[in-house]
Amino acid sequence: MVRYLETRVLALLLVLLLMSVVVFSFLHLTPGDPVDAMLGVEVEQETKQGLRHELGLDRPLLAQYALWMGRALRGDLGTSIRSRQGVSAIIGEKLPITLELTLAASVVGLAIALPAGVLAAVRRSSTLDLGAMGIALGGVSIPSFSLGVMLILLFALHWRIFPAIGYIPWSRDPAGALRHLVLPAITLGLGLAGALTRMVRSGVLEELGREYVRTARAKGLRPSRVITRHVLRNALLPALTVLGVQISVLLGGAVITEQIFAWPGVGQLAVQAVLSRDYPVLQGTILVIAAIATLVQLAVDLAYALMDPRIRLA
Amino acid sequence: MSRRRWWRRLLGHRLGGIGAVLAGLLLVAAIGAPVLARDDPLGMRMTEALAPPSASHWFGTDQFGRDEWARVLYGARLSLTVGLLSMLLATAVGIPLGAVAGYLGGPADAVTMRVMDAVLAFPAILLAIGLVAALGPGTGSGIVAIGIVYIPVLARVTRGAVLARRGDEYVDAARAVGASDWGILRRHILPNSSAPVLVQVTVGFASAVVIEAGLSFLGAGTPPPTPSWGSMLNEARQFMVVAPHVAVVPGAAISLAVLGINLLGDGMRDVLDPRLSA
């Protein structure tokens, strides 16, 4: 386990380092002068020179990276060229709002995928199975922006059950916060539900064919108990690894979902940064979201290793 | 498997068949847009703005009185072009990278795959947004960005397939009769690795359509007035209280297109490579 942990953490550090190079290079992929791209051509030379110096663009490329990375490691992601606020501070303020949405979406995804996947596997090839797989396929195929807009159309504009857009902090009004959370969480969570349902179903199907299931049944255990006590434990492990990968998809999906529902998280921040060409904010946001996705992936893999004795004891 | 038998099995595969039909419709819409559209997709008629579906405008009109049917058809053309070109870029770079890494092994493999891991670790849409921001918004940037996002996916699948074939007997046989590394890779290993790669390209195509629409939805993709399903849906949000059809039409178009390509990919997976199906 220690060896496994070592290799995984080393690989993670390497991936994080390479990711930072990718994010760093965004600024340098820009055709022409990035300062012109950010400020426009009409701005005075002095202002441009100031920004160039602030971003370190007047130094050699390697020194620029070292400067940027050194600051980033100390938690300083630079200053927004639009609002002049510290990028780390802005992200720190908006990140919890995004995590709230992704957490709620994970709950939605699991709440749908677990029962749907198990039922589809137990009643294999029935109408129920076909229905569950149909919904799973829809969940994977319908892009979040289509789904979100349709949900607003039906549940906010037509039936007026939930508010169309906006965010309310839990501390201010818990009931209102929940009402505002429902549609975005479903929009983001349904894709996850789709991917997980298929994994849970195939995991349960595989376990159902095993000897221990026959033994459990033979000793007279109720079918529901065979599933909950024996099958689920083993079937959910592979689904867990998918959840790790899906967190990355979820964080990416949050970018679009936040835009649809005017949800003031880091996703919306990233989009605004693109549209206003605020590179320090864009780089900071992408770096933080990608780093979180990678760390969650590692955490999930470690949890998997802890639960699976074949890896834990190796 | 002969090509004809392959197609018959795909069409016989219930969901794969539906996928093939939907994808076929998408292709027809894209290629036939100039003939099928009964109106100019850019022609504005403010007096007819936000008209509901009728005999003269099958899918109604948008806020500028432009025909939604024509715009959806031309939107299909854009989606398909972006999907095709971005996958072309991703395969042109990803397949050689993965093949060489898998065949050579050792440090070349390790270095290539760690770089691919780093690119893969980004949420796809976020990386695409970052790249588009760097390259400047527009359809071309979108194609390049989506292509780059998919390079590691194809490199990884190709590498896996090549690794699986590398030890096969026919490879040993080819080497024994003096075939070069390059010849073995090109003539023996790659053709036998095509099934999983082809499936992945199909799935990637669906993602490309989604990402293009997503970028346009966010305002970072194809700029107006060019009809893109994503920007159509985004603009529709302001008007959907009075004219729900302007949101439903592009929303349904994207969903059906992606569903069709995904079903086709699933069907191909089952038909081409039964070992991979869940």
Side-chain angles (χ1 to χ4, degrees):
Chain A
M1 184 72 199
V2 176
R3 237 187 98 80
Y4 174 78
L5 200 70
E6 263 175 20
T7 30
R8 281 309 311 259
V9 171
L10 271 178
L12 173 89
L13 289 176
L14 190 66
V15 163
L16 283 177
L17 186 76
L18 289 169
M19 283 171 105
S20 74
V21 175
V22 173
V23 172
F24 172 75
S25 65
F26 283 159
L27 192 61
H28 300 275
L29 282 173
T30 311
D33 187 347
V35 171
D36 278 350
M38 280 184 266
L39 298 179
V41 191
E42 303 85 31
V43 179
E44 279 176 46
Q45 276 304 324
E46 264 173 52
T47 322
K48 283 188 188 173
Q49 208 50 49
L51 181 62
R52 211 166 274 141
H53 184 72
E54 182 188 319
L55 295 173
L57 291 173
D58 47 1
R59 302 177 190 212
L61 206 59
L62 213 61
Q64 282 182 38
Y65 174 75
L67 181 75
W68 180 74
M69 197 57 211
R71 283 178 182 167
L73 284 176
R74 288 195 300 274
D76 174 12
L77 291 167
T79 311
S80 160
I81 60 165
R82 300 288 165 219
S83 69
R84 303 309 306 173
Q85 278 177 287
V87 174
S88 308
I90 310 177
I91 293 177
E93 185 189 314
K94 299 200 172 261
L95 192 58
I97 302 175
T98 296
L99 294 181
E100 178 187 331
L101 175 61
T102 31
L103 195 70
S106 312
V107 172
V108 170
L110 286 170
I112 296 174
L114 280 182
V118 171
L119 282 177
V122 174
R123 302 246 181 284
R124 189 184 186 177
S125 301
S126 67
T127 326
L128 198 76
D129 183 17
L130 207 68
M133 283 304 98
I135 293 171
L137 200 69
V140 175
S141 293
I142 301 175
S144 54
F145 39 92
S146 279
L147 180 66
V149 169
M150 295 306 139
L151 288 178
I152 291 180
L153 202 58
L154 288 177
F155 292 97
L157 301 178
H158 189 70
W159 288 316
R160 298 173 189 279
I161 304 174
F162 296 108
I165 55 166
Y167 167 79
I168 292 181
W170 289 88
S171 52
R172 199 188 323 150
D173 171 13
L178 188 65
R179 272 163 44 83
H180 280 81
L181 182 59
V182 173
L183 291 186
I186 294 176
T187 301
L188 190 55
L190 218 59
L192 175 70
L196 277 181
T197 304
R198 294 166 95 167
M199 274 314 285
V200 172
R201 176 179 177 272
S202 61
V204 170
L205 271 181
E206 202 177 316
E207 293 304 318
L208 278 178
R210 301 219 188 243
E211 295 273 324
Y212 72 86
V213 174
R214 198 161 17 136
T215 312
R217 279 182 183 150
K219 73 179 185 189
L221 227 53
R222 262 181 297 133
S224 61
R225 216 163 156 73
V226 175
I227 296 285
T228 51
R229 281 291 294 274
H230 296 282
V231 172
L232 263 188
R233 271 192 197 184
N234 293 312
L236 288 187
L237 268 176
L240 189 66
T241 49
V242 175
L243 187 64
V245 178
Q246 286 293 321
I247 294 293
S248 174
V249 178
L250 221 50
L251 283 166
V255 175
I256 290 187
T257 309
E258 288 182 4
Q259 197 66 15
I260 305 172
F261 291 96
W263 192 263
V266 280
Q268 206 187 36
L269 185 68
V271 174
Q272 281 163 0
V274 173
L275 299 180
S276 64
R277 300 192 150 261
D278 194 340
Y279 284 91
V281 172
L282 183 68
Q283 288 178 309
T285 325
I286 293 184
L287 191 64
V288 169
I289 298 181
I292 292 177
T294 316
L295 288 171
V296 170
Q297 173 82 59
L298 177 75
V300 169
D301 284 357
L302 290 183
Y304 182 86
L306 274 177
M307 276 188 253
D308 192 334
R310 281 167 300 187
I311 303 175
R312 185 177 62 218
L313 303 174
Chain B
M1 197 185 308
S2 78
R3 196 161 293 167
R4 260 185 72 193
R5 246 183 79 201
W6 192 100
W7 268 107
R8 201 174 305 151
R9 272 185 66 182
L10 184 65
L11 290 174
H13 184 276
R14 203 168 7 166
L15 292 175
I18 299 175
V21 169
L22 281 174
L25 283 177
L26 180 69
L27 196 66
V28 170
I31 296 174
V35 185
L36 295 169
R38 306 181 309 155
D39 232 326
D40 177 7
L42 304 177
M44 300 192 196
R45 250 179 254 98
M46 293 312 285
T47 47
E48 291 176 36
L50 299 175
S54 65
S56 53
H57 298 291
W58 291 346
F59 285 177
T61 62
D62 71 0
Q63 69 274 21
F64 296 115
R66 296 177 296 201
D67 185 58
E68 284 275 291
W69 167 245
R71 290 182 70 75
V72 161
L73 289 175
Y74 277 91
R77 188 167 251 220
L78 179 82
S79 287
L80 221 64
T81 311
V82 171
L84 210 64
L85 292 179
S86 58
M87 282 307 114
L88 213 61
L89 172 67
T91 47
V93 182
I95 291 180
L97 266 182
V100 170
Y103 188 75
L104 292 181
D109 180 33
V111 171
T112 316
M113 292 329 284
R114 287 301 82 71
V115 175
M116 296 294 116
D117 283 349
V119 179
L120 261 182
F122 288 95
I125 181 84
L126 203 63
L127 182 59
I129 288 175
L131 288 168
V132 164
L135 299 169
T139 312
S141 306
I143 291 170
V144 173
I146 298 168
I148 292 178
V149 169
Y150 260 84
I151 287 172
V153 178
L154 285 169
R156 194 182 257 193
V157 176
T158 309
R159 173 182 176 268
V162 168
L163 275 180
R165 298 278 81 82
R166 199 172 58 170
D168 284 358
E169 275 179 15
Y170 57 80
V171 175
D172 290 340
R175 191 168 292 132
V177 297
S180 67
D181 279 347
W182 171 243
I184 292 174
L185 197 54
R186 197 172 55 91
R187 303 227 351 228
H188 301 285
I189 296 186
L190 278 181
N192 283 299
S193 313
S194 59
V197 176
L198 201 63
V199 171
Q200 200 59 55
V201 169
T202 313
V203 176
F205 200 103
S207 305
V209 170
V210 176
I211 297 178
E212 189 283 320
L215 288 173
S216 298
F217 181 84
L218 296 173
T222 304
T226 308
S228 154
W229 292 341
S231 55
M232 285 167 73
L233 191 61
N234 184 37
E235 288 167 17
R237 290 197 291 159
Q238 304 165 47
F239 307 102
M240 62 188 186
V241 179
V242 283
H245 71 271
V246 291
V248 173
V249 168
I254 306 168
S255 305
L256 282 175
V258 176
L259 182 72
I261 305 171
N262 274 339
L263 283 174
L264 181 67
D266 277 6
M268 279 166 57
R269 190 188 328 244
D270 290 352
V271 172
L272 281 174
D273 201 347
R275 282 164 304 169
L276 288 174
S277 59

